[in-house]
């Protein structure tokens, strides 16, 4: 059997429907973010990055860089293996304590990524509590879906952010059946925010555990950057909070924060924790510095909100349509995979602006978009240049403008 022929047929089909992905080769430069270098077939271009999940530019923060360097000098580069075999580095312990404090929970547990944290935690808990039913928001991330699937627990999907639908589905489950309500606080493609308090009201009514993915909100919302649950005053009502260190904290890794027994349970039974090499000490130390900084500094969050609002106002002024959910994620709708790819390419090549095209399967077909994430390090001139380029391309590609 010619396996390469099979692979190529699938790749060709992706290309024909406009969903084949080409990675931009980017060099981030210390001290100059969001400016970077793009490697093209005909040389290098200077670009401004507009789609990074390093939402606050913390990967460039001097305290974070210094912590990573100091840790490498003290501990070396790698962690040496899994925590079960090679032991737990002191940086891991300090970071877990800091994350538990951030979310006002008894304990926290580190993973190598947010994806692994979701997959491991949901699959472990649901598979080891007999007869568990998981109620999953229809827009949940692939990592949550995979974890639920791997658990082989009964899954019920409730309509996105629809509390009444969740209530109906919970009401149909016998009272003595263990239930987990799994959802996100901020959905990364549309930028919409869940009604966390209302979801907690319903879950508590039926005695359900709540599992909240805060990866696109930690560092960004709440008095100390603990996320939407902190902002809304509902953190104490969430059973398990899952977060990442790879977005607003500018580093790498994922975690859960929960009761001491819950974290110990996952630590003891989750294969995604047990058999995975732990985070390098330098990454843990850098993450610790980032979390500590954003617990006390609101400067980055305030400036980011200012730039997000400025961008939204400028897009409205020129009629470029975008989703207006009020979060830091600005989704500019193209609704055509090929045009979306072309606009992204033209922006990078002709304007020095990098915004990745987002298409299926990341978003449903017909909702292709440019997902823009303003940071506190984008200045007003950057915003004006982006809006001017988008407005010109709207004319060039004959795209409909939003009504004023």
């Amino acid at each position: 059997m010619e396996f390469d022929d099979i692979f190529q047929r699938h790749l060709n089909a992706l290309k024909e429907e406009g969903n084949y992905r080409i990675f931009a080769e980017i060099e981030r430069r210390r001290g100059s973010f969001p400016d970077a270098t793009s490697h093209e077939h005909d040389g290098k271009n200077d670009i401004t990055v507009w789609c990074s999940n390093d939402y606050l530019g913390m990967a460039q923060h001097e305290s974070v860089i210094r912590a990573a360097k100091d840790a490498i000098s003290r501990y070396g580069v790698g962690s040496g293996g899994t925590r079960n075999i090679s032991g737990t580095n002191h940086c891991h312990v300090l970071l877990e304590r800091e994350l538990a404090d951030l979310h006002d929970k008894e304990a926290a547990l580190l993973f190598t990524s947010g994806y692994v944290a979701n997959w491991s935690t949901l699959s472990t808990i649901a598979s080891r509590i007999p007869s568990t039913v998981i109620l999953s928001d229809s827009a949940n991330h692939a990592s949550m879906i995979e974890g639920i699937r791997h658990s082989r627990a009964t899954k019920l999907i409730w309509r996105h952010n629809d509390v009444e639908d969740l209530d109906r589905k919970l009401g149909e489950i016998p009272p003595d059946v263990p239930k987990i309500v799994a959802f996100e606080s901020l959905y990364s493609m549309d930028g919409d925010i869940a009604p966390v308090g209302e979801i907690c009201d319903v879950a508590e009514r039926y005695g359900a555990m709540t599992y909240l993915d805060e990866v696109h909100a930690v560092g960004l919302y709440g008095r100390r950057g603990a996320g939407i649950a902190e902002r809304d005053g509902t953190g104490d009502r969430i059973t398990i909070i899952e977060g990442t260190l790879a977005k607003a904290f500018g580093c790498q890794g994922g975690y859960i924060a929960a009761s001491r027994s819950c974290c110990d349970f996952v630590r003891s039974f989750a294969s995604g924790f047990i058999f995975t090499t732990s985070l390098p000490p330098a990454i843990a130390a850098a993450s610790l510095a980032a979390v500590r900084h954003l617990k006390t500094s609101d400067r980055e969050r305030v400036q980011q909100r200012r730039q997000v609002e400025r961008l939204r106002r400028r897009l409205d002024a020129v009629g470029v349509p975008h989703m207006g959910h009020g979060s830091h994620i600005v989704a500019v709708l193209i609704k055509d995979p090929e045009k979306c790819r072309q606009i992204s390419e033209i922006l990078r090549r002709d304007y020095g602006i990098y915004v990745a095209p987002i298409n299926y399967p990341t978003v449903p077909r017909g909702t292709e978009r440019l997902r823009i994430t303003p940071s506190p390090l984008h200045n007003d001139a950057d915003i004006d240049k982006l809006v001017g380029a988008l407005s010109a391309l709207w004319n060039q590609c004959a795209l409909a403008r939003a009504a004023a």
Side-chain angles (χ1 to χ4, degrees):
M1 181 177 287
E2 294 295 332
F3 289 104
D4 280 345
D5 290 344
I6 297 173
F7 301 151
Q8 197 58 53
R9 283 200 299 273
H10 283 278
L11 291 171
N12 289 341
L14 265 185
K15 292 176 181 178
E16 288 172 6
E17 63 188 26
N19 288 324
Y20 181 74
R21 301 181 182 198
I22 299 172
F23 293 158
E25 186 178 346
I26 304 295
E27 281 185 44
R28 287 161 59 104
R29 300 193 298 259
R30 177 187 169 183
S32 63
F33 182 79
D35 293 334
T37 299
S38 173
H39 289 256
E40 309 289 346
H41 69 277
D42 56 351
K44 298 180 180 180
N45 287 338
D46 290 333
I47 59 169
T48 300
V49 177
W50 277 99
C51 52
S52 175
N53 283 344
D54 182 11
Y55 293 132
L56 297 177
M58 289 302 295
Q60 304 286 321
H61 197 278
E62 282 303 317
S63 68
V64 176
I65 294 171
R66 185 169 57 251
K69 284 184 172 181
D70 291 347
I72 288 176
S73 297
R74 293 181 63 185
Y75 307 118
V77 177
S79 66
T82 69
R83 289 168 71 174
N84 295 279
I85 294 175
S86 299
T88 288
N89 187 279
H90 186 53
C91 291
H92 297 143
V93 175
L94 294 178
L95 179 54
E96 285 175 341
R97 289 175 183 168
E98 200 74 32
L99 291 167
D101 175 77
L102 175 68
H103 294 288
D104 199 22
K105 298 293 185 186
E106 291 180 345
L109 185 67
L110 286 173
F111 294 85
T112 51
S113 71
Y115 193 107
V116 175
N118 271 336
W119 184 90
S120 300
T121 304
L122 285 167
S123 64
T124 299
I125 291 176
S127 65
R128 288 187 169 268
I129 300 177
S131 304
T132 294
V133 176
I134 300 183
L135 297 100
S136 177
D137 186 287
S138 62
N140 276 345
H141 190 265
S143 57
M144 302 174 77
I145 295 169
E146 288 295 328
I148 294 167
R149 180 182 295 131
H150 188 261
S151 75
R152 298 185 179 179
T154 300
K155 177 179 70 173
L156 297 176
I157 298 175
W158 49 289
R159 286 195 296 271
H160 179 49
N161 281 344
D162 188 332
V163 178
E164 291 183 0
D165 189 47
L166 174 63
D167 195 320
R168 282 191 295 272
K169 286 182 166 58
L170 278 168
E172 294 169 356
I173 303 171
D176 59 341
V177 171
K179 296 170 280 289
I180 302 173
V181 176
F183 63 109
E184 300 180 41
S185 63
L186 195 158
Y187 290 84
S188 64
M189 288 300 116
D190 289 357
D192 54 328
I193 296 173
V196 178
E198 295 176 44
I199 292 171
C200 287
D201 290 341
V202 175
E204 290 165 359
R205 191 177 307 138
Y206 295 98
M209 178 189 299
T210 45
Y211 182 97
L212 177 62
D213 177 320
E214 287 260 38
V215 297
H216 290 277
V218 289
L220 297 164
Y221 299 88
R223 183 177 59 85
R224 301 194 304 163
I228 297 297
E230 181 188 41
R231 186 198 71 175
D232 294 351
T234 56
D236 60 327
R237 302 172 68 187
I238 302 295
T239 313
I240 302 172
I241 293 175
E242 184 266 348
T244 186
L245 302 163
K247 294 182 171 60
F249 293 125
C251 297
Q252 180 68 37
Y255 64 89
I256 59 169
S259 68
R260 188 167 287 106
S261 60
C262 177
C263 289
D264 199 16
F265 175 85
V266 175
R267 180 191 70 88
S268 300
F269 293 107
S271 61
F273 176 87
I274 295 169
F275 297 106
T276 302
T277 298
S278 61
L279 288 175
I283 296 299
S287 299
L288 178 62
V291 172
R292 284 177 172 171
H293 177 81
L294 290 175
K295 275 184 176 179
T296 58
S297 173
D298 203 37
R299 181 176 60 83
E300 293 83 3
R301 289 188 283 270
V302 169
Q303 179 62 9
Q304 187 214 34
R305 288 195 291 269
R306 177 191 181 278
Q307 298 307 78
V308 169
E309 288 308 309
R310 176 178 173 83
L311 175 59
R312 289 189 184 278
R313 289 195 306 271
R314 294 284 286 110
L315 291 173
D316 288 340
V318 299
V320 172
H322 60 97
M323 290 187 168
H325 293 296
S327 73
H328 63 283
I329 293 167
V330 182
V332 173
L333 294 176
I334 309 296
K335 300 184 180 180
D336 179 278
E338 189 57 30
K339 282 187 177 180
C340 194
R341 183 193 63 78
Q342 290 174 352
I343 289 173
S344 173
E345 185 176 323
I346 294 169
L347 282 170
R348 190 179 75 251
R349 185 188 66 220
D350 297 346
Y351 293 91
I353 291 170
Y354 176 51
V355 188
I358 306 295
N359 54 18
Y360 180 84
T362 306
V363 294
R365 288 185 174 91
T367 68
E368 293 81 10
R369 67 199 61 185
L370 301 175
R371 178 183 177 273
I372 301 172
T373 53
S375 80
L377 301 179
H378 288 95
N379 59 40
D380 291 354
D382 292 330
I383 292 174
D384 293 343
K385 180 180 177 182
L386 171 64
V387 173
L390 287 173
S391 184
L393 288 174
W394 239 247
N395 291 334
Q396 183 178 329
C397 298
L399 294 169
R401 292 187 185 262

